[in-house]
C-alpha cells in the first residue's frame, strides 16, 4: 500500500494530491460540532441548501470531461497536452468536492445543527473518490480527448517519473529548510567576522604584524604625543631638514633651499640654476652669456677685448672684430668661406629636346 501511494510517477503525484484532501472535511466537522454544541437538528432551508449544492457539484463531476485535443499533433506534443489537461481535470474535481463542505459548514452554523454539514459530506466524499486517477477515470478522460481523432498518449504521460511531493506540506518543508540553511550561513558569517575582529584587536594590542617594536599605547587610543612638548625650538623633519636643533638656531642649506648658506658665510655659492655666481661675488662668462667680462675685469657690463671672445669659444682668430657682434661676423665669414651651397647652385638646362610635331606611326596592320 505504501509503494502504491508513494509511486514516483505522474499518476502517483495526482493520487497523492487526492489522498491529501480526502481527510480535509474531518477538521471542519470537529470545529462545527464545537460551535453548534453537538446539536443535530437545524432549519430546513439550510439542509436543502447544502444538499442542493452537493448534488450540483456531483453532477458536474460526472458529466464534465476534458476537452478534445486538436488535430495534427505529434506524439510528444499530444502526450504533454493530454497530461496537462488531465491534471486540470483532477484539480477541478477536487475543488468541486470541497465546495459542498464549505457551504454545509456555513449552513450548519447558521441553522444551529449538524444535518447540513452531514448531508454535504455524504455528497462530497464520493466526488473525491471520483477525482482519484483510477483505470475507469483515466480511460474516460482519454476517450474524451480523442473525440476529434487525435491519439492521446495519456497512459504514457502518466507513467513518466516525477518527484514524491505532497500539496502544501512539501512547499512548507522546502521553505523551512531554506530558512534554516540561510540562518546557518548567517551565523557562520557572524562567527568569521567576530574572529577577524578579535584577531585585529590582538595584533593591535601586541604590536604591528610585520615584526616592529610593540607600541606602548593601548589598542583603542594612543597617549604618546607625536612631538615632544618641552622642546623650545623646531626639530628636523624629513620635509624640512634645514631646521636647526636647540643647540644651534641657524639653518643649513638643503637641496630645496641651497642659498641658505649665505646667512652664515655671508656669500652665495654657485648652483645649477645660477652657475654664474662665484664664491668671490664676481660674475664670470658662461656658455649662454659669453660676452661677460672675466675675473680680471670685475665688471658685469664690460666688453671683452680682441682676444677674449675667441679664447672663450676656442677659435684663435686674430682678425675677428671686437665687441658683442664678433660671433655674428665670424658666422658670416665661415658661410662665405665654405663656398657652394645656395650661392654655388647653377641652373641646369633641361636635357629634353624640342617637342616633336610628327605623328607616330600606327602599329595596326
Amino acid at each position: 500500500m505504501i509503494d502504491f501511494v508513494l509511486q514516483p510517477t505522474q499518476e502517483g503525484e495526482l493520487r497523492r494530491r487526492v489522498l491529501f484532501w480526502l481527510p480535509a472535511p474531518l477538521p471542519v466537522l470537529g470545529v462545527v460540532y464545537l460551535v453548534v454544541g453537538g446539536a443535530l437538528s437545524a432549519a430546513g432551508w439550510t439542509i436543502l441548501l447544502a444538499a442542493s449544492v452537493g448534488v450540483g457539484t456531483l453532477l458536474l463531476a460526472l458529466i464534465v470531461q476534458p476537452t478534445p485535443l486538436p488535430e495534427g499533433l505529434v506524439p510528444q506534443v499530444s502526450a504533454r497536452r493530454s497530461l496537462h489537461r488531465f491534471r486540470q481535470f483532477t484539480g477541478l474535481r477536487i475543488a468541486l468536492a470541497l465546495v459542498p463542505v464549505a457551504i454545509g459548514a456555513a449552513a450548519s452554523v447558521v441553522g444551529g445543527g449538524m444535518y447540513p454539514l452531514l448531508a454535504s459530506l455524504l455528497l462530497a466524499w464520493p466526488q473525491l473518490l471520483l477525482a482519484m486517477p483510477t483505470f475507469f477515470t483515466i480511460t474516460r478522460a482519454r476517450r474524451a480527448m480523442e473525440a476529434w481523432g487525435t491519439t492521446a498518449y495519456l497512459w504514457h504521460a502518466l507513467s513518466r517519473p516525477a518527484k514524491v511531493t505532497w500539496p502544501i506540506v512539501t512547499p512548507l518543508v522546502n521553505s523551512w529548510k531554506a530558512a534554516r540553511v540561510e540562518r546557518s550561513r548567517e551565523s557562520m558569517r557572524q562567527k568569521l567576522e567576530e574572529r577577524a575582529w578579535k584577531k585585529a584587536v590582538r595584533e593591535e594590542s601586541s604590536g604591528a604584524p610585520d615584526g616592529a617594536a610593540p607600541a606602548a599605547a593601548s589598542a583603542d587610543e594612543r597617549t604618546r604625543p607625536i612631538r615632544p612638548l618641552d622642546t623650545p625650538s623646531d626639530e628636523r623633519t624629513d620635509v624640512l631638514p634645514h631646521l636647526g636643533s636647540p643647540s644651534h638656531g641657524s639653518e643649513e642649506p638643503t637641496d630645496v633651499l641651497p642659498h641658505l648658506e649665505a646667512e652664515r658665510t655671508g656669500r652665495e655659492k654657485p648652483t645649477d640654476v645660477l652657475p654664474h655666481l662665484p664664491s668671490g661675488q664676481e660674475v664670470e662668462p658662461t656658455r649662454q652669456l659669453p660676452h661677460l667680462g672675466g675675473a680680471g675685469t670685475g665688471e658685469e657690463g664690460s666688453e671683452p677685448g680682441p682676444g677674449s671672445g675667441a679664447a672663450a669659444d676656442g677659435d684663435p682668430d686674430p682678425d675677428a672684430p671686437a665687441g658683442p657682434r664678433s660671433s655674428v661676423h665670424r658666422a658670416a665669414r665661415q658661410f662665405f668661406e665654405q663656398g657652394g651651397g645656395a650661392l654655388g647652385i647653377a641652373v641646369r638646362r633641361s636635357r629634353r629636346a624640342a617637342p616633336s610635331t610628327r605623328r607616330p606611326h600606327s602599329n595596326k596592320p
Side-chain angles (χ1 to χ4, degrees):
M1 184 63 183
I2 296 177
D3 296 338
F4 178 75
V5 173
L6 300 180
Q7 188 177 2
T9 58
Q10 297 291 339
E11 182 182 358
E13 182 184 357
L14 296 176
R15 189 181 298 112
R16 285 187 296 271
R17 183 181 301 180
V18 176
L19 292 176
F20 177 81
W21 293 109
L22 189 62
L26 296 179
V28 178
L29 181 63
V31 172
V32 173
Y33 181 83
L34 294 177
V35 171
V36 299
L40 297 177
S41 62
W45 65 273
T46 57
I47 300 175
L48 182 61
L49 175 63
S52 61
V53 172
V55 171
T57 55
L58 180 60
L59 292 176
L60 287 175
L62 291 174
I63 296 174
V64 175
Q65 294 295 330
T67 57
L69 294 174
E71 299 179 359
L73 295 179
V74 296
Q76 294 82 0
V77 179
S78 176
R80 185 170 62 252
R81 289 196 178 185
S82 59
L83 177 61
H84 177 67
R85 294 191 181 190
F86 189 76
R87 290 168 65 92
Q88 288 182 342
F89 175 68
T90 304
L92 176 63
R93 283 191 170 182
I94 293 173
L96 290 176
L98 295 178
V99 168
V101 177
I103 299 298
S108 296
V109 172
V110 173
M114 297 292 296
Y115 280 140
L117 181 58
L118 293 178
S120 62
L121 287 179
L122 291 177
L123 297 172
W125 265 315
Q127 298 182 39
L128 289 174
L129 295 178
L130 287 176
M132 186 76 68
T134 59
F135 177 81
F136 175 75
T137 306
I138 297 173
T139 303
R140 287 196 61 186
R142 182 182 61 82
R143 290 177 180 177
M145 293 179 190
E146 293 178 351
W148 290 355
T150 303
T151 304
Y153 298 89
L154 183 58
W155 288 103
H156 173 73
L158 291 175
S159 63
R160 296 177 59 184
K163 294 182 179 181
V164 179
T165 58
W166 294 90
I168 301 176
V169 178
T170 303
L172 291 178
V173 172
N174 293 337
S175 61
W176 178 73
K177 289 181 179 179
R180 187 177 61 180
V181 171
E182 185 65 24
R183 286 195 301 268
S184 62
R185 290 179 180 177
E186 186 67 23
S187 61
M188 181 61 65
R189 189 183 302 109
Q190 291 180 359
K191 289 181 180 179
L192 292 177
E193 292 179 357
E194 184 177 0
R195 188 179 303 172
W197 179 77
K198 290 182 179 179
K199 182 179 179 181
V201 171
R202 185 168 56 253
E203 290 179 355
E204 183 68 19
S205 60
S206 61
D210 55 352
S218 62
D220 297 334
E221 59 180 5
R222 297 179 180 272
T223 57
R224 186 180 61 181
I226 299 177
R227 299 177 59 185
L229 302 177
D230 55 351
T231 306
S233 60
D234 296 334
E235 294 181 354
R236 301 188 181 199
T237 59
D238 296 337
V239 181
L240 300 175
H242 62 278
L243 298 178
S245 59
S247 59
H248 58 88
S250 60
E251 297 180 352
E252 297 181 359
T254 60
D255 297 337
V256 183
L257 302 174
H259 61 277
L260 297 177
E261 183 69 18
E263 297 184 4
R264 294 195 305 171
T265 58
R267 57 183 180 179
E268 298 181 356
K269 291 184 178 181
T271 60
D272 296 337
V273 182
L274 300 176
H276 62 277
L277 297 178
S279 59
Q281 296 292 339
E282 295 179 356
V283 179
E284 295 182 356
T286 60
R287 183 175 300 178
Q288 287 78 7
L289 302 175
H291 61 277
L292 298 178
T297 59
E299 295 180 1
E300 185 175 356
S302 61
E303 299 181 356
S308 61
D313 293 336
D315 188 9
D317 190 1
D319 299 334
R325 299 181 178 271
S326 59
S327 60
V328 179
H329 296 322
R330 183 165 55 254
R333 186 172 62 254
Q334 292 178 0
F335 178 77
F336 285 111
E337 287 178 357
Q338 287 179 1
L343 298 180
I345 296 177
V347 179
R348 297 181 180 179
R349 297 181 60 184
S350 176
R351 295 182 180 179
R352 287 187 178 182
S356 177
T357 57
R358 291 188 307 168
R359 187 172 184 179
H361 296 283
S362 177
N363 296 326
K364 294 183 179 178

